[in-house]
Amino acid sequence: MEFIPKWIAWEITRRCNLRCVHCRSASELEVKGHPDFSTNEAFRIIDDIVSYTKPVVVLSGGEPLIRKDVFEIAKYGSEKGLRMCLATNGTLVTDEISEKIKDSGIKIVSFSLDGSEEAVHDNFRNQKGAFVGTINAARLFKKHGIEFIINSSFTKRNQEEIPKIYKLAKQLGATAWYMFMIVPTGRGEEIINELISKEDYEKILEWHYQMEKDEKDILVRPTCAPHYYRIVLQKSKEEGAKFERRTLKFSTGGAKGCIAGQLIAFIDVDGNVLPCSYFPKPAENIKEQSFKDIWENSDLFKELRDFKKYKGKCGSCEYVTVCGGCRARAYSVYGDYLEEEPFCSYIPVKMKKKVRGL
């Protein structure tokens, strides 16, 4: 496998107007110790990235629309040849913001929708009125001709909403719907007991497989659910037909499970380069080393790319190269990012044979 950075999420601020129950960075409106970097520093980081590669770059947060220079940063990246995208919670979107999004060269916007109705979404986002704001954002994006992706995060408190939110995403006119399975980092650690069970996890991913096979209007992806790619292979084999999945030019392709430090990376507001948005262990810092040097030479990234080092069920699994288990979830639950995926119920063939004494 060739390890080329295809997609970088970039936390341009840790400030946020919401206080969501699962927030990976536990963002607040005023964040102590994690100040926003300057506009010139943002330009320097973009120059550093494009000197090596030209991936999709997603401006995220916190809430990136809080930064007054967010569109300057987006425009600079666009002019340098990067495919700039924006990840927002949607509540600050207006007609004026929509026009600025278009003028800055941002290609596509993602926002979060965690309930099919106000009570569920607002509970998840810890803010009354969040649902109304998000639905309004979808309306404004359609009005201004801006493509958008809907991200939906799930725990036990809203897992029954999954098919309802999928239908709502279609009704709102989303280009894609991404079903996020929570990784307990940041504020998410406080709801670790709400994580969806292994058994329900498997059922939900099987539901997604059947749904995706029939879906013609919207691109769908389960995210932070690497064992879906094992399920796709299993089901395709059982059915005797290859499952041709749709792709989106702003996605990472969808052909493999965990791609943290393999095809994607995350740059936090302090300049730390991490394997993904949910992986709290940094490789190095982009203020001290070039992105190229970090990507190619970081010991952390090298370990994540060496599947022979994976432990437990993942280390024995015949699907390790297509699934890999969520490295961030393993790190969060076990304190070891090379350990097995803690929310996978599959038993590898090697381990079954060992139990039978074969």
Side-chain angles (χ1 to χ4, degrees), residues 76-93:
Y76 188 84
S78 296
E79 290 173 346
K80 290 288 183 174
L82 295 174
R83 289 167 290 169
M84 302 298 291
C85 305
L86 179 74
T88 173
N89 60 44
T91 59
L92 302 180
V93 177

Side-chain angles (χ1 to χ4, degrees), residues 226-227 257-258 310 314 319-320 323-329 339-341:
H227 21 319
C258 186
Y310 287 15
C314 288
Y319 294 104
V320 67
C323 168
C326 177
R327 297 299 97 212
R329 195 176 287 117
E339 260 297 351
E340 66 185 28
E341 158 68 60

Side-chain angles (χ1 to χ4, degrees), residues 13 37 65 78 93 143 175 179 196 210 254 273 315:
T13 183
F37 47 82
L65 292 178
S78 296
V93 177
K143 174 184 174 182
T175 297
M179 180 181 76
I196 294 169
Q210 297 301 331
V273 180

Side-chain angles (χ1 to χ4, degrees), residues 60-75:
S60 71
E63 173 47 61
L65 292 178
I66 284 179
R67 277 194 71 139
K68 293 180 179 179
D69 61 354
V70 59
F71 299 114
E72 288 182 64
I73 296 170
K75 189 172 184 179

Side-chain angles (χ1 to χ4, degrees), residues 10 32 35 100 107 226 242 317:
W10 185 11
K32 297 179 181 178
K100 287 181 177 180
K107 302 298 184 184
K242 187 177 179 181
C317 189

Side-chain angles (χ1 to χ4, degrees), residues 168-302:
L168 180 55
K170 290 183 67 173
Q171 291 169 9
L172 292 172
T175 297
W177 176 63
Y178 288 5
M179 180 181 76
F180 276 74
M181 307 303 275
I182 289 289
V183 178
T185 60
R187 202 175 289 128
E189 292 178 359
E190 299 171 15
I191 57 169
I192 194 165
N193 293 330
E194 289 190 37
L195 298 184
I196 294 169
S197 68
K198 291 182 183 181
E199 295 75 22
D200 284 353
Y201 209 140
E202 194 84 1
K203 290 175 184 176
I204 290 167
L205 294 181
E206 289 185 4
W207 167 85
H208 193 289
Y209 172 78
Q210 297 301 331
M211 174 272 289
E212 186 179 353
K213 280 202 310 176
D214 299 329
E215 180 52 60
K216 307 297 180 187
D217 302 321
I218 183 174
L219 182 136
V220 291
R221 284 283 182 271
T223 306
C224 299
H227 21 319
Y228 182 68
Y229 298 85
R230 180 253 305 165
I231 288 173
V232 167
L233 290 179
Q234 287 177 310
K235 294 293 183 182
S236 298
K237 186 176 181 180
E238 288 172 11
E239 296 165 2
K242 187 177 179 181
F243 180 26
E244 297 290 346
R245 306 185 71 207
R246 294 176 61 204
T247 58
L248 181 68
K249 58 186 174 182
F250 302 111
S251 76
T252 49
K256 185 183 181 297
C258 186
I259 49 178
Q262 299 173 34
L263 298 177
I264 67 172
F266 174 69
I267 304 173
D268 74 12
V269 73
D270 300 320
N272 295 309
V273 180
L274 305 98
C276 79
S277 306
Y278 299 97
F279 201 116
K281 183 179 176 63
E284 303 291 345
N285 195 290
I286 202 166
K287 295 177 183 178
E288 301 165 359
Q289 290 180 249
S290 69
F291 181 80
K292 179 179 187 292
D293 187 38
I294 296 169
W295 181 265
E296 293 184 350
N297 300 313
S298 158
D299 289 338
L300 174 58
F301 283 7
K302 285 180 178 179

